[in-house]
Amino acid sequence: MKAILTTGALLCAMTAFAQVPQLNRNNIDEVLKAMTLEEKITLVVGANRYVGDENGPGPAPGMPERKSVDMSGLVEQPKSDGVTAFSSGRVKGAAGDVVPVERLGITTMVLADGPAGLRIDAVRPGDDNTYFCTAFPIGSLLSASWDTGLVERVTAAMGNEVLEYGADVLLAPAMNIHRNPLCGRNFEYYSEDPLLAGKIAAAYVRGVQGNGVGTSVKHFAANSQETLRNGQNASVSERALREIYLKGFEIVVKEAQPWTIMSSYNKINGVLSSENRWLLTDVLRGEWGFKGFVMTDWWAEENGARQIAAGNDMLMPGTPHQYDDILDAVQSGRLDIRFLDDCVRRILQVMVESPTFKRYAYSNKPDLAAHAQVTREAAAQGMVLLKNESALPLVRKSKVALFGVPSYDTMVGGSGSGYVNRAYKVTVDAGLEAAGFRLDKQLAESYRDYVKHEKAKQPAEYFWIIPTVQETLISREVAQAAAKRNEVCVYSIGRMAGEGGDRTLTPGDWYLSETEQANIDLLCETFHKAGKKVIVLLNMGNIVDMGWSDQPDAILHTWMDGQEAGNSVADILAGKVSPSGKLPMTIAKSYEDYSSAKDFPMSNGNPGDVNYDEDIFVGYRHFDRHPETILYPFGFGLSYTDFAYSDLKAEREGDELKISVKVTNTGKRPGREAVQIYVGAPAGNAVKPVKELRAFGKTSELKPGASEVLTMTVKLADLRWFDAYEQAWKLDAGEYVISAAASSRDIRQNVTVTL
Ligand code: BGC
């Protein structure tokens, strides 16, 4: 009798199990139907809501008591500050985890930063293996390459590390508009221009996602500053939103379909992005056809029910409050469960494509040596030569007087979520020596000692804080002796950058510090007196005031180059690679010349509120109306050779313009040229910029005398402006001026097309 009962119970259990669907590509709706309300909420609220102490899981500090949770499939993460976070625990140091619902075959997904490479813990307690990732060049350098093919190669390598280290989604690219040069995260972002930002981001997404892992394009939208970042309100017209702040995101969604989008912390016209249904549902999905899911930025305002109702599918990293809020909202009727179902469905649609779901057997052994080569080559392609009065390249392996702390403690990337736990970094001094340059020994030794001594007093670098060593004042004797002993002077100026704060209009940040200015004065005076050249390297993710630019003979913007920095810089200085990067932003004569200067980071008397009164006139759209205020224009960058443009053609084919232009290397060294196509639209009845970037291309390396015809396509639809009154994109009839240009202020050829 006993045996019969047991068999019967077993049969029942087996039948029940058989009835529970297990997630696959074809049964998403069936699985959704089988999910309890709690399981649905479990999926949309990230794993970090399970926090606790030695007594087990409980509410996060300061958080209300949560309802019962299913802890299956989660493991404890090591404690920090007495708080234990729970996650899938698979990839240590990843920013977030999706909570699995094992009953239904719903797996976790591991989400990890960031824009310059995968950010995970490289060294793990009780584990002798290491998990270093490659630190690739920062965002501004990638866009300064104007080379979508290159970006795709870089991010193919980056995405391979995501896959091989067991993560599913890379929290990148970051692509907010450089509205103002003081934005603390501009180094992660691409440009003042949405077309350049959008095309670079699309290439980035294609490269990463080609590995079968996802991206999270961030921060959607109008997150162009860090001051009061959680909830600061961007007051911006719909036209400026559509044409400038949303445009890049539109391009990346339409061209590359990222698996996910990350909503931003800020408000837009009074509504938090993560609660903004117009933004996340009407525009992103309805108008642009986005197919993936949206996640919040980490710890974004946490009204879970409002976020779900807006179409913000996943709440990261997840708080107990969000869980409770959604549960209460559905149970009380405040939130129609169909909103939640839509979110769950969209997450599952992405999940079934993820490596974790597919049980990909990751190796934890990506080819770091090959990726180091990729980053070395890429960094050299994005450096921008701003000035060169017969100083570069240093073809003879000259005796170099290498000055400046960042030459010896090179900043290879920023801090915060854009940080990468890399195995090493090549500083400029090491790179130059490896390339055969003879560095002034005395000088190098004293800088190295100083850096070592200062570093010993500082806390170790970790992702949130990268301590920097203060610049030292060079004495006249040292400068004079160095000018005698060496053939050339190289001086580096550096600026660290990170998330969570904006830069300041102060000496040492936007302006050179007194020490830096005194050093430049002295080095230029002593070396010029000795008939020798002074080269300045800008080691930063952004720009600084350049009122001093007439002093040195050459200025190379090296950005933050990733872990091979010194080698990439040496490749350019030695002339192994001719510079071909061009500025993705304008460098104005003075800060006050930027159109956002008076409303950044806050509008006067209006804390938390920022008026985007410059409207669409951001970057060169503004400077084209005030050219006298430009120092280095958008799109500008010198080469070691020269290029001539010819045969510009623009022909209409259906609803597109086919544009071609011939570029010839007329100089004496091989090089590549980034060509910009600007279009000036007829006035119509709207105020319009003089011209706007509508396409760009970059030649392959051309030998002296060689030519290449670049062909580009512009959709007529992309020449429209947004009429907010009529809520419509409009193409005005009339004459359009198509320009092929070497920079926004160096138009080489024009043709007109009448539409
Ligand atoms: C940043 C995001 C990042 C997230 C996860 C936030 O502080 O704004 O860009 O992806 O943290 O680390």
Side-chain angles (χ1 to χ4, degrees), residues 558-620:
T558 68
W559 311 102
M560 290 166 150
D561 297 305
Q563 66 188 42
E564 287 283 324
N567 289 332
S568 311
V569 170
D571 288 343
I572 294 281
L573 295 190
K576 192 171 152 197
V577 179
S578 180
S580 62
K582 294 191 174 184
L583 286 175
M585 75 285 276
T586 307
I587 303 182
K589 286 190 180 146
S590 111
Y591 173 78
E592 288 68 32
D593 297 328
Y594 290 92
S595 57
S596 56
K598 71 176 171 35
D599 287 320
F600 183 93
M602 288 181 271
S603 303
N604 281 343
N606 224 350
D609 216 17
V610 186
N611 295 324
Y612 285 39
D613 280 346
E614 71 282 1
D615 209 60
I616 58 169
F617 294 98
V618 181
Y620 66 86

Side-chain angles (χ1 to χ4, degrees), residues 177-254:
I177 291 291
H178 288 191
R179 173 176 178 250
N180 184 287
L182 298 183
C183 170
R185 288 186 93 167
N186 276 359
F187 76 100
E188 293 178 69
Y189 301 156
Y190 295 133
S191 177
E192 65 187 27
D193 179 80
L195 179 94
L196 180 59
K199 295 278 182 187
I200 295 292
Y204 188 117
V205 169
R206 284 194 299 269
V208 173
Q209 292 194 172
N211 289 279
V213 296
T215 52
S216 194
V217 176
K218 63 192 190 184
H219 309 90
F220 190 55
N223 191 176
S224 289
Q225 70 175 55
E226 289 296 284
T227 304
L228 295 177
R229 70 173 177 166
N230 294 65
Q232 154 281 126
N233 181 36
S235 291
V236 51
S237 77
E238 187 172 354
R239 182 176 177 202
L241 269 179
R242 299 275 194 168
E243 293 185 19
I244 307 290
Y245 296 99
L246 301 186
K247 194 67 189 177
F249 290 98
E250 179 180 352
I251 292 171
V252 73
V253 165
K254 289 183 174 167

Side-chain angles (χ1 to χ4, degrees), residues 95 113 119 171 185 188 218-219 223 226 229 262 265 297-298 417 463-464 499:
D113 286 308
R119 182 173 67 81
L171 303 173
R185 288 186 93 167
E188 293 178 69
K218 63 192 190 184
H219 309 90
N223 191 176
E226 289 296 284
R229 70 173 177 166
M262 189 187 294
Y265 289 124
D297 199 346
W298 267 232
S417 54
F463 90 98
W464 208 245
E499 71 178 280

